[in-house]
Amino acid sequence: MPLPSPLSDLVSYCEKLCVKECCGIEAFDFSPVHIASWLHQSRGEPTDKTVGLLNDQLEDLRIRFGTGSSEEGYESDENEMNQFFSTAQVDQLADQIETNLKHALELNQQSNLVEWKPEGTPSTTSHQPELGNDFVRALSWRYATKKFDATKAVSAEDIETILSATNLSASSYGLQPYQFLLIQDKSLQEKLVDASYGQNQVADASAVLVFVIRTDIDADYIKQSAAETEAARGLEPGQLDGYARQMIGSIMSFDDNDRKSWATKQAYIALGTAMAACAMLGIDACPMEGFQPAKYDEILGLESKNLHSVLVLPIGYRAEDDINSKYAKVRKPLGEMVVRVG
Ligand SMILES: Cc1cc2nc3c(=O)[nH]c(=O)nc-3n(C[C@H](O)[C@H](O)[C@H](O)COP(=O)(O)O)c2cc1C
């Protein structure tokens, strides 16, 4: 017998990569933080109705298949947990989900999507800075926006904030071997659609950031960067010469391809920073590798400027009917992602 929705959605969201038949209930992560993540991401702010419905469905499961029923247990559907639960296990399962649902609601109320610890374990929650909560909430809210509302524009002030934040991104030796192209020109944006394998985000978005790497990184560029650091930190001119020589030794020992690859890695970090900045501002974005760099370079006249496009980030506001906005966020549970050593 299949479980009813939304309980069935919750169960399938909590499935880990493990094969269901292999680990039984262990193949599911019903921890509060995971349930909180489901409530938050798939349903926005959970309504009393959803929570009431989930509790009714759990109660129904107990009545029909738990210890008080005349059944021998619950045979879960092939697409759910794919195993037989004895009546005692049904009660246990329902109790676990119900209890953790309560914890999940508390977590969501505090917006504390942090690692849950069983009762009795000291909690680190109270030491979590406020920003941490807002940040996780913003990252839960964001998604790769497929369809932008072409009528909505990001304000000039927000664009500047995103650019400033992106410019604060970390880079190897602080050399920033990249630049960001800001495109706010509909006819140019439309030209980029073909070069983006038909992805219309680049045309509909309010602005498009193209992350380009510099192909002219040489010893002079590195010396200049060291001189800027000396000036910014009030050092004597030449004080960082040794450091500059070390950087030159490292970066200039790469061949062209390796240097491009090194610069591209730095651009990816900047992309992540830009995406996080957008999320914090409630602005949508779509990270994109799905484009033809050679065509972008040609359309944007990049080669003559010693630049090469590596990543694209359309930004704007999601269209109401963007189907991607309706999908639950899919991430492996923290327990699977984090290897805690010691
Ligand atoms: C480097 C990178 C390149 C991506 N390229 C594209 C792309 O070309 N088109 C697209 O629609 N989504 C693209 N995505 C979006 C991913 O598919 C998306 O981030 C992933 O499925 C996780 O979903 P979420 O970002 O909505 O949470 C890209 C994401 C990254 C990080």
Side-chain angles (χ1 to χ4, degrees):
M1 189 208 81
L3 292 172
S5 177
L7 185 55
S8 57
D9 306 335
L10 171 62
V11 166
S12 77
Y13 183 83
C14 290
E15 185 189 335
K16 295 194 269 192
L17 267 192
C18 180
V19 181
K20 300 174 202 175
E21 301 83 349
C22 144
C23 295
I25 195 162
E26 293 304 316
F28 293 82
D29 178 356
F30 292 120
S31 66
V33 76
H34 206 60
I35 296 179
S37 161
W38 173 76
L39 285 169
H40 192 77
Q41 291 159 17
S42 65
R43 315 201 155 247
E45 290 304 316
T47 60
D48 289 349
K49 197 172 152 214
T50 306
V51 175
L53 199 55
L54 277 168
N55 281 322
D56 287 351
Q57 289 171 349
L58 290 170
E59 190 50 27
D60 194 42
L61 196 67
R62 283 194 200 93
I63 292 169
R64 293 174 70 182
F65 303 104
T67 43
S69 78
S70 54
E71 297 287 333
E72 287 177 355
Y74 175 68
E75 180 86 55
S76 73
D77 193 63
E78 194 180 330
N79 298 320
E80 290 161 357
M81 292 170 276
N82 199 19
Q83 64 168 328
F84 181 79
F85 292 93
S86 67
T87 51
Q89 284 170 328
V90 169
D91 284 348
Q92 211 184 343
L93 174 74
D95 288 351
Q96 187 186 354
I97 298 180
E98 190 180 74
T99 306
N100 289 347
L101 179 61
K102 264 191 220 136
H103 285 299
L105 288 166
E106 285 163 16
L107 279 175
N108 260 4
Q109 254 174 17
Q110 303 158 11
S111 290
N112 277 336
L113 292 174
V114 292
E115 177 72 296
W116 172 78
K117 296 229 166 55
E119 266 165 26
T121 317
S123 161
T124 54
T125 311
S126 55
H127 304 300
Q128 202 74 11
E130 271 308 304
L131 179 64
N133 306 333
D134 287 349
F135 194 46
V136 173
R137 193 163 43 179
L139 293 179
S140 304
W141 167 86
R142 67 145 294 280
Y143 71 100
T145 304
K146 262 290 177 203
K147 190 168 176 193
F148 287 89
D149 183 337
T151 65
K152 289 191 182 154
V154 177
S155 72
E157 192 190 343
D158 282 345
I159 297 265
E160 289 312 307
T161 303
I162 293 163
L163 294 173
S164 299
T166 308
N167 195 36
L168 284 170
S169 191
S171 65
S172 166
Y173 292 115
L175 284 173
Q176 298 182 278
Y178 45 67
Q179 288 187 321
F180 328 118
L181 253 67
L182 172 66
I183 305 177
Q184 290 178 293
D185 173 338
K186 280 290 166 200
S187 70
L188 186 53
Q189 287 172 235
E190 267 152 28
K191 278 192 202 144
L192 295 175
V193 174
D194 265 359
S196 312
Y197 302 106
Q199 300 195 79
N200 265 314
Q201 300 94 297
V202 291
D204 292 338
S206 170
V208 177
L209 282 180
V210 181
F211 290 78
V212 298
I213 54 164
R214 302 181 66 127
T215 55
D216 61 351
I217 302 291
D218 58 10
D220 282 346
Y221 177 88
I222 296 170
K223 281 184 202 156
Q224 171 67 23
S225 176
E228 284 160 9
T229 306
E230 287 166 352
R233 295 186 178 163
L235 303 174
E236 293 297 321
Q239 216 172 323
L240 292 180
D241 279 359
Y243 183 52
R245 274 195 298 279
Q246 189 199 328
M247 289 192 281
I248 291 168
S250 159
I251 306 301
M252 298 320 289
S253 69
F254 295 150
D255 65 21
D256 273 0
N257 275 342
D258 283 351
R259 201 161 33 252
K260 273 186 190 162
S261 153
W262 165 78
T264 303
K265 287 179 198 164
Q266 316 310 314
Y268 271 80
I269 301 174
L271 172 87
T273 309
M275 289 168 62
C278 288
M280 283 300 284
L281 292 170
I283 290 167
D284 289 300
C286 184
M288 283 175 57
E289 280 175 323
F291 71 102
Q292 293 169 286
K295 289 199 176 158
Y296 263 61
D297 291 358
E298 195 189 320
I299 296 169
L300 301 169
L302 297 181
E303 204 181 328
S304 61
K305 299 188 179 95
N306 295 319
L307 299 173
H308 172 60
S309 55
V310 290
L311 287 160
V312 180
L313 188 72
I315 62 179
Y317 293 97
R318 60 191 72 175
E320 262 177 34
D321 61 344
D322 181 9
I323 185 75
N324 271 17
S325 71
K326 313 287 184 285
Y327 295 145
K329 193 164 278 303
V330 184
R331 292 293 188 274
K332 292 182 178 71
L334 265 194
E336 198 177 311
M337 293 303 292
V338 182
V339 181
R340 296 177 198 270
V341 181

mmCIF file of all heavy atoms in Angstrom, residues 32-52:
data_model
loop_
_atom_site.group_PDB
_atom_site.id
_atom_site.type_symbol
_atom_site.label_atom_id
_atom_site.label_comp_id
_atom_site.label_asym_id
_atom_site.label_seq_id
_atom_site.Cartn_x
_atom_site.Cartn_y
_atom_site.Cartn_z
ATOM 1 N N PRO A 32 15.788 15.578 12.315
ATOM 2 C CA PRO A 32 15.053 16.845 12.257
ATOM 3 C C PRO A 32 15.589 17.813 11.214
ATOM 4 O O PRO A 32 14.822 18.483 10.527
ATOM 5 C CB PRO A 32 15.216 17.400 13.666
ATOM 6 C CG PRO A 32 15.453 16.222 14.511
ATOM 7 C CD PRO A 32 16.212 15.232 13.683
ATOM 8 N N VAL A 33 16.926 17.879 11.109
ATOM 9 C CA VAL A 33 17.467 18.881 10.184
ATOM 10 C C VAL A 33 17.102 18.518 8.739
ATOM 11 O O VAL A 33 16.845 19.392 7.908
ATOM 12 C CB VAL A 33 18.996 19.047 10.371
ATOM 13 C CG1 VAL A 33 19.799 17.911 9.778
ATOM 14 C CG2 VAL A 33 19.475 20.366 9.785
ATOM 15 N N HIS A 34 17.013 17.223 8.491
ATOM 16 C CA HIS A 34 16.672 16.815 7.127
ATOM 17 C C HIS A 34 15.182 17.053 6.856
ATOM 18 O O HIS A 34 14.801 17.532 5.789
ATOM 19 C CB HIS A 34 17.047 15.345 6.920
ATOM 20 C CG HIS A 34 17.315 15.023 5.498
ATOM 21 N ND1 HIS A 34 18.313 15.646 4.773
ATOM 22 C CD2 HIS A 34 16.703 14.180 4.634
ATOM 23 C CE1 HIS A 34 18.295 15.198 3.545
ATOM 24 N NE2 HIS A 34 17.329 14.310 3.423
ATOM 25 N N ILE A 35 14.361 16.763 7.846
ATOM 26 C CA ILE A 35 12.920 17.025 7.681
ATOM 27 C C ILE A 35 12.698 18.538 7.571
ATOM 28 O O ILE A 35 11.903 19.012 6.751
ATOM 29 C CB ILE A 35 12.111 16.421 8.858
ATOM 30 C CG1 ILE A 35 12.254 14.891 8.854
ATOM 31 C CG2 ILE A 35 10.637 16.822 8.762
ATOM 32 C CD1 ILE A 35 11.514 14.186 9.975
ATOM 33 N N ALA A 36 13.453 19.296 8.388
ATOM 34 C CA ALA A 36 13.332 20.766 8.329
ATOM 35 C C ALA A 36 13.681 21.257 6.935
ATOM 36 O O ALA A 36 13.015 22.138 6.376
ATOM 37 C CB ALA A 36 14.262 21.409 9.355
ATOM 38 N N SER A 37 14.707 20.666 6.370
ATOM 39 C CA SER A 37 15.138 21.066 5.036
ATOM 40 C C SER A 37 14.032 20.762 4.018
ATOM 41 O O SER A 37 13.729 21.566 3.141
ATOM 42 C CB SER A 37 16.440 20.329 4.735
ATOM 43 O OG SER A 37 16.706 20.306 3.396
ATOM 44 N N TRP A 38 13.381 19.630 4.178
ATOM 45 C CA TRP A 38 12.278 19.282 3.264
ATOM 46 C C TRP A 38 11.124 20.268 3.422
ATOM 47 O O TRP A 38 10.589 20.792 2.452
ATOM 48 C CB TRP A 38 11.797 17.840 3.544
ATOM 49 C CG TRP A 38 10.572 17.470 2.756
ATOM 50 C CD1 TRP A 38 10.514 17.150 1.436
ATOM 51 C CD2 TRP A 38 9.227 17.419 3.239
ATOM 52 N NE1 TRP A 38 9.214 16.886 1.066
ATOM 53 C CE2 TRP A 38 8.396 17.046 2.151
ATOM 54 C CE3 TRP A 38 8.624 17.641 4.485
ATOM 55 C CZ2 TRP A 38 7.029 16.892 2.272
ATOM 56 C CZ3 TRP A 38 7.255 17.486 4.604
ATOM 57 C CH2 TRP A 38 6.478 17.120 3.503
ATOM 58 N N LEU A 39 10.752 20.528 4.683
ATOM 59 C CA LEU A 39 9.640 21.458 4.931
ATOM 60 C C LEU A 39 9.948 22.817 4.332
ATOM 61 O O LEU A 39 9.126 23.448 3.680
ATOM 62 C CB LEU A 39 9.435 21.644 6.440
ATOM 63 C CG LEU A 39 8.764 20.510 7.203
ATOM 64 C CD1 LEU A 39 8.902 20.752 8.700
ATOM 65 C CD2 LEU A 39 7.292 20.416 6.828
ATOM 66 N N HIS A 40 11.190 23.238 4.556
ATOM 67 C CA HIS A 40 11.583 24.587 4.148
ATOM 68 C C HIS A 40 11.679 24.721 2.631
ATOM 69 O O HIS A 40 11.193 25.669 2.044
ATOM 70 C CB HIS A 40 12.933 24.904 4.777
ATOM 71 C CG HIS A 40 13.293 26.346 4.651
ATOM 72 N ND1 HIS A 40 12.736 27.302 5.445
ATOM 73 C CD2 HIS A 40 14.132 26.977 3.818
ATOM 74 C CE1 HIS A 40 13.220 28.466 5.115
ATOM 75 N NE2 HIS A 40 14.075 28.302 4.128
ATOM 76 N N GLN A 41 12.319 23.721 2.012
ATOM 77 C CA GLN A 41 12.620 23.859 0.592
ATOM 78 C C GLN A 41 11.455 23.490 -0.307
ATOM 79 O O GLN A 41 11.249 24.086 -1.343
ATOM 80 C CB GLN A 41 13.830 23.011 0.234
ATOM 81 C CG GLN A 41 15.078 23.585 0.865
ATOM 82 C CD GLN A 41 16.186 22.574 0.975
ATOM 83 O OE1 GLN A 41 16.150 21.554 0.313
ATOM 84 N NE2 GLN A 41 17.151 22.845 1.803
ATOM 85 N N SER A 42 10.714 22.468 0.055
ATOM 86 C CA SER A 42 9.685 22.045 -0.883
ATOM 87 C C SER A 42 8.382 22.773 -0.642
ATOM 88 O O SER A 42 7.512 22.810 -1.491
ATOM 89 C CB SER A 42 9.470 20.537 -0.804
ATOM 90 O OG SER A 42 8.964 20.204 0.458
ATOM 91 N N ARG A 43 8.217 23.354 0.542
ATOM 92 C CA ARG A 43 6.906 23.928 0.832
ATOM 93 C C ARG A 43 6.964 25.363 1.317
ATOM 94 O O ARG A 43 5.971 25.886 1.798
ATOM 95 C CB ARG A 43 6.201 23.086 1.903
ATOM 96 C CG ARG A 43 6.326 21.638 1.600
ATOM 97 C CD ARG A 43 5.324 20.773 2.234
ATOM 98 N NE ARG A 43 5.244 19.597 1.391
ATOM 99 C CZ ARG A 43 4.202 19.267 0.671
ATOM 100 N NH1 ARG A 43 3.124 19.982 0.690
ATOM 101 N NH2 ARG A 43 4.218 18.203 -0.090
ATOM 102 N N GLY A 44 8.167 25.948 1.264
ATOM 103 C CA GLY A 44 8.281 27.298 1.807
ATOM 104 C C GLY A 44 8.031 27.208 3.292
ATOM 105 O O GLY A 44 8.379 26.223 3.941
ATOM 106 N N GLU A 45 7.352 28.165 3.886
ATOM 107 C CA GLU A 45 7.014 28.080 5.296
ATOM 108 C C GLU A 45 5.951 27.016 5.451
ATOM 109 O O GLU A 45 4.876 27.111 4.852
ATOM 110 C CB GLU A 45 6.484 29.431 5.797
ATOM 111 C CG GLU A 45 7.551 30.511 5.883
ATOM 112 C CD GLU A 45 8.722 30.105 6.744
ATOM 113 O OE1 GLU A 45 8.493 29.546 7.848
ATOM 114 O OE2 GLU A 45 9.874 30.311 6.321
ATOM 115 N N PRO A 46 6.195 25.951 6.228
ATOM 116 C CA PRO A 46 5.193 24.895 6.350
ATOM 117 C C PRO A 46 3.916 25.432 6.997
ATOM 118 O O PRO A 46 3.985 26.174 7.973
ATOM 119 C CB PRO A 46 5.877 23.874 7.256
ATOM 120 C CG PRO A 46 6.968 24.605 7.939
ATOM 121 C CD PRO A 46 7.380 25.717 7.036
ATOM 122 N N THR A 47 2.790 25.078 6.414
ATOM 123 C CA THR A 47 1.542 25.570 6.978
ATOM 124 C C THR A 47 1.059 24.593 8.039
ATOM 125 O O THR A 47 1.429 23.417 8.046
ATOM 126 C CB THR A 47 0.470 25.666 5.884
ATOM 127 O OG1 THR A 47 0.297 24.347 5.352
ATOM 128 C CG2 THR A 47 0.875 26.612 4.782
ATOM 129 N N ASP A 48 0.198 25.092 8.919
ATOM 130 C CA ASP A 48 -0.389 24.215 9.941
ATOM 131 C C ASP A 48 -1.112 23.065 9.270
ATOM 132 O O ASP A 48 -1.151 21.952 9.774
ATOM 133 C CB ASP A 48 -1.393 25.002 10.790
ATOM 134 C CG ASP A 48 -0.658 25.993 11.682
ATOM 135 O OD1 ASP A 48 0.582 25.891 11.757
ATOM 136 O OD2 ASP A 48 -1.328 26.866 12.265
ATOM 137 N N LYS A 49 -1.670 23.367 8.067
ATOM 138 C CA LYS A 49 -2.438 22.336 7.363
ATOM 139 C C LYS A 49 -1.534 21.162 6.970
ATOM 140 O O LYS A 49 -1.883 20.000 7.183
ATOM 141 C CB LYS A 49 -3.069 22.960 6.110
ATOM 142 C CG LYS A 49 -4.188 22.146 5.540
ATOM 143 C CD LYS A 49 -4.882 22.911 4.435
ATOM 144 C CE LYS A 49 -5.469 21.910 3.455
ATOM 145 N NZ LYS A 49 -5.460 22.361 2.102
ATOM 146 N N THR A 50 -0.352 21.487 6.409
ATOM 147 C CA THR A 50 0.583 20.424 6.000
ATOM 148 C C THR A 50 1.003 19.598 7.199
ATOM 149 O O THR A 50 1.023 18.368 7.156
ATOM 150 C CB THR A 50 1.857 21.051 5.374
ATOM 151 O OG1 THR A 50 1.470 21.917 4.344
ATOM 152 C CG2 THR A 50 2.795 19.993 4.839
ATOM 153 N N VAL A 51 1.331 20.310 8.283
ATOM 154 C CA VAL A 51 1.815 19.608 9.474
ATOM 155 C C VAL A 51 0.690 18.745 10.055
ATOM 156 O O VAL A 51 0.895 17.582 10.418
ATOM 157 C CB VAL A 51 2.331 20.637 10.512
ATOM 158 C CG1 VAL A 51 2.732 19.948 11.799
ATOM 159 C CG2 VAL A 51 3.518 21.399 9.932
ATOM 160 N N GLY A 52 -0.523 19.317 10.092
ATOM 161 C CA GLY A 52 -1.682 18.560 10.592
ATOM 162 C C GLY A 52 -1.910 17.310 9.752
ATOM 163 O O GLY A 52 -2.147 16.213 10.281
#
